[in-house]
Amino acid sequence: MLRRFPDFLGDMSRRALVSPVTFSLFFAFALAGAIVAVTGGDPLAAGEEMVTGAVTGSGLRNTLGRAVPIVGMALAVSIAFRSGIINLGGEGQMVIGGLAGTMVAIYVPGPGYLIVPLAMLAGAVVGAVWGLLPAYGQTWLRLPILITSLLLNYVARAVTGYLVRFHLLDDAVTLTSTRQVPEAARMPKMPVFGGVSLSLILVMVLVALLWMVYTRSVAGYESQMTGFNMRSARYGGIDVEQRTVQVMVVAGAIGGLIGTHLIIGEALRFIDGELVLAGFAWTGLLVSLLAVNRPIPIFITGLFFSGLQIGGLAMQRNAGVSWRLSQVLQAVVIVAVACRLSVWRSERRRAEPSEADAAGVGEV
Amino acid sequence: MTFELELRGITKRYPGVLANDAVDLAVRPAEIHAIVGENGAGKTTLMSLLYGLFPPDEGEIFIRGERVEFSSALEAIAAGLGMVHQSFKLFPTLSVADNVVFRQEPRRRGLIDRAASVARVRELADRYGLAVDPEAVVEDLPVGVLQRVEILKALYRDANVLILDEPTAVLTPQERDKLFEVIRRLRDAGGTILFITHKLGEVMAISDRVTVLRNGRAVADLVTAETDPAEITLHMTGRAVDLDRRAPEHEPAQVVLKVDSLTVIGEHGRPAVADASFEVRSGEIVGIAGVAGNGQSELIEALCGLRETDGGAVSLVGMEITGADVAGRRSAGLAYIPEDRYAVGTIRQASVSENLLLGHHRNPSIQHRGWFDRQAVARLARRLVEVFDIKAGSVSGPVSTLSGGNLQKVVVAREMEQGTPLLIAEQPTRGLDIGAIEFVHGQLVRFRDQGGAVLMVSAELSEILALSTRILVMFEGRIVADLDPSKVAEPEIGLYMTGAHLEKAVA
């Protein structure tokens, strides 16, 4: 029945042209340009500042730096989504893991090459445990992960806030903050583009690893099949509950790694409430959705969003256009991609007379 | 003469597929016109085009000589077409009358006039001899009655042309006969019926004319009285087939599956399977007959580890598997062709080769320590596609592009490939065309002849009779009969299926 298109390359370029992403980007930038023009600015100058601000000099370093948490959190949420698990607890897993990693970095003495990995490990373990709670809630008590993981974000905020305020407070500063991470226990920076955190490598390794897992491992296969169709997965002997627990452990661990990185690699102190301000978990969620939960597209999309944010700041500095315009851009891209996707889907559904209708018997 | 309904040169293309190729169809007033063809022959597409679900690329539709173009089903309904789908579209918690008058309720002072709707539905039902209580709640009704409700819905909307899509798939022989009576009565009252089916017996029994579709083309337009099943089959498949292949004589060997007093509590706290005991031996096919919903699904799910059991024991080649999970049972030697190949048997978003792995993806021949041997996987997929003649563009392409028959071949190939001692086949040919049915039957027989044990559930009595070594009949969760197919006739099985044997015993 199915015939492949004879001209494969032609088909690829045609698909790229009609791809919702291409259209959405074009639309989003056109709209943003219009907004700048209407408010009396010069859209071309603003655009130029945005691009140069994102990819040149310290801008490139900042773009790469910010891509670490965005891509990382997107990866964490993507593995849950691929298994059909709506894990909205990335933020909590990141915050609580981040504090655990920070505590190791501050209080455990030793050389950096031991303490940094140990801190990351501690962050991952505690993040994983935080992911386990909603997982067991679902498999044992049938509490939906969607709800519990989301609510545990607030618990994580409160717990870390309490610990920082009453047990880990640094009296030397006026912030509600832990002490500074000692020099030796900080995430090293690589001597490229003016100092990019080593965590970028970690994130790239994660991208490659997840790509491997999903293209050629039994675990990836089982996760993906579960996400596609849970009934079929059970029929195929896949232990859906066990997979749920495993996926939440890995997602939580990645969250904890990113949280730890954000302190020992960027902020250097755990300031109460600070970690959630940038909304990396939520930006990551959007990135994952746009990239349809695939690791390599997540990396590219994450870099793009990071560049938008950094470039937006540069645009404000140099072209006098508010950085919020880049948030508008981000929002328009998301809405446009989502709309195009749904239009495309419903066209397809109409075009194919459903074979499933022929199978549905006795449906009342 | 003016045709009630005429299609001229209807063509519909999908990427790479010509679903309908210049189809002509002429239906006379007050005739029962059967449309037969294998799955993928274009029956569903043709009816969807006729019913306004999407437009044809080319061609014209005429109703009573007038050219029409429908942009939605509502317009088709307004023009006097009525369609009874295979899956019923009813509100389970509402009454029959409420379902029938939905969106065209008789009103009084702006409010729905319930008494009038009940009266009108009752009047309609009486006129066409459809035995339905308008005030009954839909969810309490058996399938045969639900179908009558669907027919009433169409008649209430003044349908002159009634399209019935595979209407007998869910009916017992007795219900089927009642449906045929209703159809004849409708015709005698001047109605026109389009009857879509792939069962030749029904074509012969009910239709006045028959149009045969093959590969998207209308290849024959025949007067039923002047043709015979062999001629129709030849048109459908382009070759002659033999479905009535009786099981050859053989000696049943050792017990493969032993089920002992199995009880499964169903959704409503009542036993869906009650105290079922039976055995399946190697080299035999045990067929379970029964009207859908009498515990067959629950029994199979329990045997496969997809449903908790509430008593009894199950063993497979001497190994106790009562408490084992799905993976445990599969590795103990159980293969399973599930009833619903769309929602369970295959994963539509996954590729053909991913679907061919499902359930056997931990087999050491294709993976080492959790990493697939991609070449072994590709070899396996290519071999199965070739051996089972699965028509797929590529093994890495999505399985959702396959036709129903090829989809079932994917499931059959996957489950047979493992060479397990036991194969459970649930409605293995439902909705398939003759060619695919023949193929699946051939595979089941081959499995049996190689010493496998087969437990088959089917709503098709002809299938049960053609393949089974023994027939078990399920009624209300109990196995009420263990019959020898060579010594039993279809009506007798029908009596057990409907529980009528119980009344006989009391009387």
Side-chain angles (χ1 to χ4, degrees):
Chain A
M1 290 262 286
L2 178 83
R3 253 178 250 150
R4 302 192 80 177
F5 289 92
D7 179 7
F8 186 64
L9 269 181
D11 184 49
M12 286 244 299
S13 54
R14 190 188 62 86
R15 283 218 322 249
L17 267 182
V18 302
S19 147
V21 176
T22 315
F23 171 82
S24 310
L25 288 179
F26 181 79
F27 179 70
F29 278 99
L31 188 69
I35 291 172
V36 173
V38 164
T39 55
D42 178 351
L44 288 179
E48 194 185 335
E49 289 299 343
M50 190 168 200
V51 173
T52 49
V55 300
T56 59
S58 65
L60 181 60
R61 183 192 65 207
N62 291 337
T63 297
L64 291 174
R66 188 170 282 230
V68 169
I70 292 178
V71 172
M73 294 315 291
L75 292 176
V77 80
S78 74
I79 60 172
F81 282 178
R82 274 186 108 154
S83 301
I85 301 166
I86 313 290
N87 171 27
L88 298 181
E91 184 183 281
Q93 292 145 21
M94 178 180 85
V95 169
I96 204 119
L99 183 64
T102 308
M103 284 166 67
V104 169
I106 294 175
Y107 295 107
V108 178
Y113 61 86
L114 281 182
I115 296 308
V116 170
L118 192 65
M120 294 296 269
L121 182 69
V125 168
V126 172
V129 169
W130 208 250
L132 261 183
L133 296 177
Y136 280 135
Q138 177 156 307
T139 56
W140 288 351
L141 307 169
R142 302 198 171 187
L143 301 170
I145 284 184
L146 168 70
I147 309 281
T148 48
S149 65
L150 182 68
L151 292 180
L152 278 169
N153 289 342
Y154 301 98
V155 179
R157 262 191 231 179
V159 167
T160 53
Y162 164 79
L163 287 174
V164 171
R165 205 172 289 265
F166 294 104
H167 295 284
L168 307 168
L169 195 67
D170 180 3
D171 297 323
V173 291
T174 54
L175 298 162
T176 314
S177 159
T178 63
R179 278 163 41 197
Q180 213 174 32
V181 175
E183 196 93 30
R186 294 177 188 172
M187 180 64 74
K189 296 205 186 295
M190 299 179 292
V192 287
F193 308 127
V196 178
S197 170
L198 192 62
S199 300
L200 185 64
I201 301 294
L202 175 76
V203 165
M204 289 166 78
V205 167
L206 273 177
V207 168
L209 201 64
L210 288 178
W211 179 78
M212 289 276 290
V213 163
Y214 281 108
T215 49
R216 49 194 71 184
S217 82
V218 172
Y221 173 83
E222 291 198 350
S223 296
Q224 182 69 79
M225 295 303 124
T226 306
F228 280 157
N229 184 338
M230 201 173 285
R231 280 181 73 193
S232 298
R234 277 191 216 283
Y235 153 79
I238 296 169
D239 189 335
V240 172
E241 280 69 32
Q242 193 193 337
R243 282 276 161 234
T244 301
V245 169
Q246 289 169 353
V247 161
M248 287 300 289
V249 162
V250 178
I254 296 176
L257 280 178
I258 297 302
T260 306
H261 152 79
L262 283 171
I263 307 300
I264 70 170
E266 302 284 341
L268 303 182
R269 342 175 140 252
F270 190 102
I271 305 169
D272 180 29
E274 184 88 350
L275 213 46
V276 302
L277 279 184
F280 291 127
W282 305 105
T283 309
L285 189 143
L286 293 173
V287 166
S288 182
L289 285 178
L290 283 186
V292 211
N293 307 323
R294 314 269 144 177
I296 291 168
I298 280 176
F299 189 71
I300 295 164
T301 314
L303 274 178
F304 174 72
F305 271 49
S306 173
L308 266 187
Q309 294 183 358
I310 300 298
L313 293 171
M315 180 177 67
Q316 169 164 292
R317 268 197 316 274
N318 303 327
V321 177
S322 167
W323 65 275
R324 292 190 187 280
L325 188 70
S326 64
Q327 287 192 320
V328 172
L329 258 174
Q330 193 172 313
V332 174
V333 172
I334 289 160
V335 171
V337 170
C339 291
R340 286 282 298 169
L341 266 180
S342 65
V343 169
W344 176 73
R345 277 210 188 125
S346 61
E347 277 168 2
R348 257 180 66 117
R349 205 173 299 144
R350 263 182 84 85
E352 289 168 10
S354 170
E355 283 276 4
D357 273 357
V361 174
E363 172 201 324
V364 175
Chain B
M1 73 180 292
T2 309
F3 293 115
E4 178 73 19
L5 174 71
E6 193 183 359
L7 308 184
R8 282 191 209 149
I10 295 287
T11 297
K12 182 73 188 176
R13 293 182 196 88
Y14 296 120
V17 184
L18 201 52
N20 283 153
D21 184 3
V23 173
D24 294 329
L25 174 69
V27 184
R28 288 152 184 77
E31 87 174 352
I32 301 174
H33 195 115
I35 296 179
V36 293
E38 307 198 309
N39 270 22
K43 296 180 305 231
T44 311
T45 305
L46 192 65
M47 289 306 115
S48 305
L49 295 171
L50 173 59
Y51 205 55
L53 297 180
F54 38 84
D57 295 331
E58 284 162 33
E60 299 170 315
I61 301 174
F62 298 87
I63 293 185
R64 283 180 292 282
E66 295 219 4
R67 180 149 184 230
V68 292
E69 270 182 51
F70 302 136
S71 60
S72 76
L74 286 178
E75 292 178 23
I77 292 167
L81 298 186
M83 173 109 92
V84 175
H85 295 272
Q86 213 179 47
S87 51
F88 303 138
K89 297 171 176 6
L90 298 171
F91 301 106
T93 54
L94 297 185
S95 75
V96 169
D98 289 342
N99 268 285
V100 170
V101 302
F102 176 62
R103 294 197 59 174
Q104 291 188 17
E105 297 88 352
R107 285 167 192 268
R108 211 163 57 116
R109 289 194 219 114
L111 300 173
I112 294 173
D113 186 346
R114 290 224 137 130
S117 64
V118 168
R120 286 181 59 179
V121 171
R122 179 165 289 134
E123 188 267 325
L124 206 55
D126 290 347
R127 195 190 322 157
Y128 293 103
L130 290 150
V132 180
D133 173 10
E135 291 175 282
V137 175
V138 160
E139 64 188 348
D140 300 335
L141 299 174
V143 185
V145 179
L146 297 181
Q147 194 168 49
R148 283 176 228 152
V149 178
E150 286 283 3
I151 294 173
L152 274 174
K153 268 167 71 182
L155 295 176
Y156 181 79
R157 285 160 181 76
D158 296 322
N160 300 315
V161 179
L162 195 60
I163 306 168
L164 299 167
D165 187 7
E166 303 273 357
T168 60
V170 290
L171 303 183
T172 60
Q174 285 83 354
E175 285 176 321
R176 182 191 62 203
D177 293 343
K178 279 198 192 123
L179 172 70
F180 284 1
E181 269 172 46
V182 168
I183 291 176
R184 286 197 191 97
R185 205 184 292 238
L186 286 170
R187 175 196 52 195
D188 296 343
T192 305
I193 290 100
L194 272 177
F195 190 95
I196 302 162
T197 186
H198 56 250
K199 295 180 196 163
L200 294 180
E202 296 178 354
V203 173
M204 301 312 294
I206 188 79
S207 70
D208 301 316
R209 292 183 79 91
V210 50
T211 295
V212 184
L213 293 184
R214 186 170 88 228
N215 290 336
R217 293 165 167 275
V219 291
D221 183 7
L222 309 163
V223 175
T224 310
E226 296 166 7
T227 184
D228 57 55
E231 188 188 358
I232 299 175
T233 305
L234 206 61
H235 284 299
M236 280 170 73
T237 61
R239 66 202 153 86
V241 291
D242 174 21
L243 279 186
D244 279 331
R245 173 184 33 216
R246 281 260 169 184
E249 292 303 316
H250 57 270
E251 288 296 312
Q254 91 270 18
V255 175
V256 172
L257 176 73
K258 184 169 166 54
V259 178
D260 192 16
S261 308
L262 189 71
T263 296
V264 178
I265 305 295
E267 253 84 76
H268 306 292
R270 282 178 306 195
V273 179
D275 203 23
S277 299
F278 60 93
E279 292 175 350
V280 186
R281 293 163 183 274
S282 76
E284 71 171 355
I285 297 177
V286 173
I288 297 184
V291 178
N294 275 283
Q296 302 96 314
S297 303
E298 288 86 354
L299 171 67
I300 299 302
E301 283 179 12
L303 291 180
C304 296
L306 291 164
R307 190 181 271 272
E308 303 237 332
T309 59
D310 300 275
V314 182
S315 65
L316 185 58
V317 260
M319 199 206 306
E320 168 90 18
I321 57 162
T322 315
D325 63 6
V326 181
R329 286 167 201 249
R330 280 184 170 278
S331 59
L334 177 150
Y336 173 30
I337 299 170
E339 176 176 31
D340 192 338
R341 76 186 74 103
Y342 297 97
V344 180
T346 57
I347 300 179
R348 61 159 52 231
Q349 304 97 320
S351 70
V352 174
S353 73
E354 283 170 330
N355 271 287
L356 284 169
L357 290 185
L358 186 65
H360 309 291
H361 53 274
R362 288 174 178 276
N363 195 313
S365 67
I366 54 166
Q367 58 96 17
H368 309 289
R369 297 160 185 257
W371 295 92
F372 286 118
D373 177 345
R374 304 224 298 169
Q375 285 176 349
V377 169
R379 269 199 306 274
L380 173 75
R382 275 200 304 269
R383 185 164 55 77
L384 290 180
V385 164
E386 199 183 307
V387 170
F388 288 84
D389 190 28
I390 299 167
K391 296 206 172 55
S394 102
V395 292
S396 53
V399 83
S400 56
T401 56
L402 268 56
S403 71
N406 279 301
L407 212 55
Q408 188 70 338
K409 281 185 180 179
V410 168
V411 178
V412 169
R414 178 179 74 206
E415 299 305 317
M416 305 256 314
E417 167 64 14
Q418 302 303 316
T420 54
L422 176 67
L423 175 66
I424 294 180
E426 197 178 11
Q427 312 283 9
T429 62
R430 184 164 72 191
L432 297 185
D433 56 60
I434 292 191
I437 290 173
E438 192 189 25
F439 174 84
V440 171
H441 284 182
Q443 292 297 327
L444 293 177
V445 168
R446 184 173 72 95
F447 189 86
R448 175 202 66 192
D449 290 344
Q450 289 171 353
V454 180
L455 179 65
M456 177 178 74
V457 173
S458 178
E460 296 286 339
L461 271 188
S462 57
E463 178 167 77
I464 297 261
L465 283 165
L467 292 178
S468 304
T469 322
R470 277 192 300 131
I471 299 175
L472 306 176
V473 184
M474 274 190 95
F475 176 70
E476 294 189 341
R478 293 181 179 278
I479 290 173
V480 294
D482 185 344
L483 308 167
D484 180 343
S486 61
K487 293 179 189 145
V488 68
E490 195 166 320
E492 192 184 339
I493 303 177
L495 288 179
Y496 284 110
M497 285 166 67
T498 51
H501 67 286
L502 297 173
E503 290 158 28
K504 212 168 54 182
V506 172

